[in-house]
Amino acid sequence: MMSKAVTTMAAQRIDYAETAKIIAALTEGETDPVALMATVACELHHADARFDWTGFYRVTEPGILKIGPYQGGHGCLVIPFDRGVCGAAARTGEVQLVPDVEAFPGHIACSSSTRSEIVLPVRDAGGAIIGVLDIDSDRPDAFDQADATALAAILATTFGG
Ligand code: SME
């Protein structure tokens, strides 16, 4: 029998509308991308028990992503656009909804516990891709289109894209 605390933690599910309001309040008037990324990663990560690793990779030069603010275990530092789920999101500009990371060609496993993943491109006000938001879960098929839509809206509001 799980304790109420453990049950609650296991069941904790993000309220995207509430989290979006919190992020908007915390970042009001802020334009520094790293400060914005740090705040978004923190608020998302602690809002949902599915989110094992929550963080950003930044476009630091053409074709290269480098790790940015994140929550969770260590992540790899550099991802070229032609590798991994993050590289696919940066290369295509499309959300990557991965129900089974083992089935994704070239998936980069920063943790052996990752089973599913969602990665979204991050765009600035001019529409340029400045990075990606990567969320990993130790649960298979943890993410759906509702997550993708809500996360994309938070990113657009926060980063202007
Ligand atoms: N899984 C990602 C790499 C980042 S670590 O998961 C934090 C990928 O395949 O691009």
Side-chain angles (χ1 to χ4, degrees):
M1 174 76 168
M2 282 200 291
S3 69
K4 180 170 173 33
V6 172
T7 307
T8 303
M9 280 178 61
Q12 185 188 20
R13 191 89 178 202
I14 190 169
D15 176 334
Y16 279 113
E18 183 59 27
T19 300
K21 284 180 191 167
I22 293 169
I23 290 170
L26 291 171
T27 60
E28 186 177 3
E30 184 53 64
T31 58
D32 176 70
V34 173
L36 296 174
M37 289 176 180
T39 306
V40 171
C42 176
E43 292 307 313
L44 291 178
H45 188 72
H46 295 290
D48 196 304
R50 294 173 295 164
F51 302 173
D52 254 2
W53 193 96
T54 311
F56 290 85
Y57 282 84
R58 300 161 299 123
V59 179
T60 55
E61 59 188 272
I64 295 291
L65 292 164
K66 286 197 177 179
I67 199 161
Y70 67 92
Q71 302 266 330
H74 65 267
C76 55
L77 299 186
V78 182
I79 300 178
F81 278 29
D82 61 359
R83 289 198 59 218
V85 186
C86 292
R91 186 172 67 247
T92 66
E94 299 294 326
V95 175
Q96 305 293 313
L97 200 46
V98 182
D100 174 8
V101 297
E102 300 291 329
F104 189 94
H107 169 257
I108 300 168
C110 293
S111 168
S112 59
S113 63
T114 301
R115 293 290 172 269
S116 60
E117 188 163 356
I118 184 169
V119 183
L120 300 92
V122 180
R123 290 181 170 84
D124 66 12
I129 293 178
I130 60 172
V132 299
L133 169 64
D134 178 16
I135 306 178
D136 297 344
S137 183
D138 62 352
R139 306 175 192 185
D141 200 13
F143 307 102
D144 60 19
Q145 187 55 48
D147 290 299
T149 302
L151 290 166
I154 288 173
L155 294 174
T157 301
T158 307
F159 297 93

